[in-house]
Amino acid sequence: MFFVDTIEVAGLGNRSYLAGGRRTAVAVDPPRDADRVLEAAARRGVRISHVVETHLHNDYVTGGLALARLTGAAYLVPAGAGVSFARIPVHDGDRTVLDTDLALRALATPGHTPHHTAYVLEERGTAVAVFTGGSLLIGTVGRPDLVEPRLTGHLARAQHASAHRLAAELPDTTAVLPTHGFGSFCSAGRADGSETTIGKEKASNEALTEDADTFVPRMLAGLDDVPAYYAHMGPANSAGPAPVDLTPPAVADAGEIAARLAAGEWVVDLRNRVAFAEGHVAGTYNFEAEGQLATYLAWLIPWGRPVTLLAESPEQLAGAQRELVRVGIDRPAAAATGDPSAWTTDGEALAAFPRARFADLAARHPAEGTVVLDVRRDRERAAGFIEGSVHIPMHTLHRRLGEVPAGEVWVHCAGGMRAAIAASLLDAAGRAVVAVDDTFDTAGATGLPLRTA
């Protein structure tokens, strides 16, 4: 008998896995906060004997090295991955015994990275599952453009070939268990569903239903923006990440918050966007703890800049710390919890800005002195945009605030979360702003004039 437990890393759109038998187990692509994997092993009553990486990750800092050292597990890393720590190099075809009647077989699947390796879980010699990392995903494949621009074309074709290798060598009933593809920017596309098999992918995955000459150009043309912090993840994983420290940060009072703002540090309010708009410390930025906090904060913040976190509760703060260590933001400089009225110095009023819907914008558009700012990414805007709107993708706005025309800025995205971040950046810069908290799908029905690129 075997088991496979899934460990969701929802904020980054990833999954990790713990798989094993009665006594021992393997951890696959563990997150930086590897205590979650230890808890899963404790629930199963098994010892983690092996930790494996499918590749050097581009989108998060791995917990594999720390987990292996903590448990004494063998640490398996693809042989072609350049690392500066001791590990067991894995080659194509290597087979590792996990437990009684249970083994792990390595399959070279280059494409997402040159050294990418998938691992086939075998019970009595029969493939029952395959941990595909960033190769074959649900309905798509991992993107091939995160390593080196000159390698992208080559890796794209290798990715197509790797998907076909998996489909050809594994039974249709084999469960496909990818690391990426659940909202991760490491995915080359978006697909629905949470479970799949080799047989299902052979019938529906375009990497398997199209030839390379058709699939590769179309995939490359559809790739999305790359979060800026990705540039720091590979080097961190190659060097060997340090263990995490999730103890509470130092407490900041109102005076320290004001001093950190004056010093140009980032002070981030984690409350939901409605509460932030109604009242916040002037100069702070709003990144909702319930949204894709790690992705967007790490994408925007100048790398290495101290960050102070403001949360409504200790639990919200702890959750944010956990998310941020996954992308290398290890220790907040300081933090505060509670009500925003306690975060301001005596006599300082809270700042605020209005929220609206697309129907409210339609009632006054176009109007002199009103600026419509679209902060969606290029691919989203190409499908349709409000005529006369200014386009500055949210992840570039902090560097381009001077490009926003004079006037009251009505800022929108596709659903409201990124518009709230953008509104907080503009508000902190002293601009009059209205956050459009609405889904863009409703914009056309309001009478707003829409165009396509």
Side-chain angles (χ1 to χ4, degrees), residues 18-300:
L18 182 75
R22 291 186 174 88
R23 296 169 300 173
T24 55
V26 58
V28 181
D29 290 342
R32 184 92 180 277
D33 50 327
D35 57 323
R36 301 179 64 207
V37 185
L38 292 170
E39 291 168 0
R43 287 193 297 270
R44 287 286 185 177
V46 296
R47 176 176 63 89
I48 298 175
S49 59
H50 295 80
V51 177
V52 304
E53 305 282 7
T54 57
H55 60 295
L56 282 185
H57 303 286
N58 300 294
D59 64 326
Y60 69 92
V61 181
T62 181
L65 179 61
L67 180 61
R69 288 175 173 172
L70 183 62
T71 61
Y75 191 30
L76 280 59
V77 178
V83 298
S84 57
F85 49 84
R87 89 293 190 202
I88 298 174
V90 177
H91 300 84
D92 185 40
D94 284 356
R95 196 166 183 273
T96 302
V97 175
L98 296 179
D99 206 322
T100 304
D101 297 327
L102 206 61
L104 207 61
R105 178 166 56 93
L107 282 181
T109 48
H112 188 49
T113 66
H115 59 266
H116 192 283
T117 300
Y119 298 90
V120 181
L121 184 65
E122 297 178 335
E123 186 180 39
R124 300 187 184 92
T126 299
V128 292
V130 57
F131 302 102
T132 56
S135 54
L136 186 65
L137 311 183
I138 299 178
T140 184
V141 293
R143 59 192 299 171
D145 62 326
L146 302 179
V147 177
E148 159 61 54
R150 291 171 296 182
L151 294 178
T152 297
H154 167 74
L155 289 177
R157 289 190 172 272
Q159 187 71 299
H160 184 268
S162 291
H164 280 262
R165 181 187 185 189
L166 291 167
E169 296 189 15
L170 299 176
D172 284 357
T173 55
T174 307
V176 175
L177 304 173
T179 300
H180 304 311
F182 309 95
S184 168
F185 279 87
C186 275
S187 174
R190 297 289 184 266
D192 296 326
S194 60
E195 297 180 358
T196 193
T197 63
I198 289 290
K200 290 178 181 178
E201 293 307 305
K202 286 165 70 173
S204 61
N205 193 310
E206 292 175 340
L208 298 175
T209 60
E210 296 178 351
D211 61 33
D213 289 339
T214 301
F215 174 75
V216 169
R218 186 180 53 76
M219 175 185 63
L220 293 178
L223 292 175
D224 211 334
D225 297 301
V226 179
Y229 73 90
Y230 275 28
H232 305 280
M233 300 297 96
N237 289 323
S238 179
V244 301
D245 179 1
L246 292 175
T247 58
V251 177
D253 60 16
E256 183 175 353
I257 292 171
R260 291 187 176 278
L261 285 168
E265 297 183 12
W266 278 39
V267 179
V268 172
D269 191 325
L270 300 168
R271 296 174 302 143
N272 70 69
R273 57 186 182 261
V274 176
F276 182 86
E278 290 176 347
H280 56 271
V281 178
T284 59
Y285 302 141
N286 182 216
F287 290 78
E288 291 181 304
E290 294 77 16
Q292 292 178 281
L293 169 66
T295 293
Y296 286 109
L297 180 54
W299 197 338
L300 270 68

Side-chain angles (χ1 to χ4, degrees), residues 333-364:
T337 59
D339 188 271
S341 61
W343 303 336
T344 59
T345 55
D346 292 342
E348 181 187 2
L350 292 175
F353 55 77
R355 297 163 53 249
R357 303 184 69 82
F358 281 112
D360 301 314
L361 177 59
R364 59 181 294 144

Side-chain angles (χ1 to χ4, degrees), residues 359-450:
D360 301 314
L361 177 59
R364 59 181 294 144
H365 179 74
E368 186 175 351
T370 298
V371 178
V372 180
L373 177 62
D374 181 349
V375 296
R376 296 174 300 158
R377 295 187 295 276
D378 291 344
R379 286 182 58 195
E380 298 171 284
R381 184 171 171 89
F385 60 90
I386 298 171
E387 186 174 348
S389 61
V390 177
H391 181 224
I392 303 178
M394 189 272 292
H395 60 272
T396 70
L397 180 61
H398 60 302
R399 302 189 304 268
R400 302 173 60 187
L401 289 169
E403 298 178 30
V404 181
E408 184 180 64
V409 185
W410 288 58
V411 58
H412 80 85
C413 61
M417 181 189 72
R418 287 172 293 169
I421 296 172
S424 74
L425 297 176
L426 290 159
D427 177 73
R431 297 296 304 270
V433 63
V434 178
V436 179
D437 194 355
D438 203 354
T439 57
F440 189 74
D441 290 344
T442 67
T446 67
L448 284 167
L450 300 185

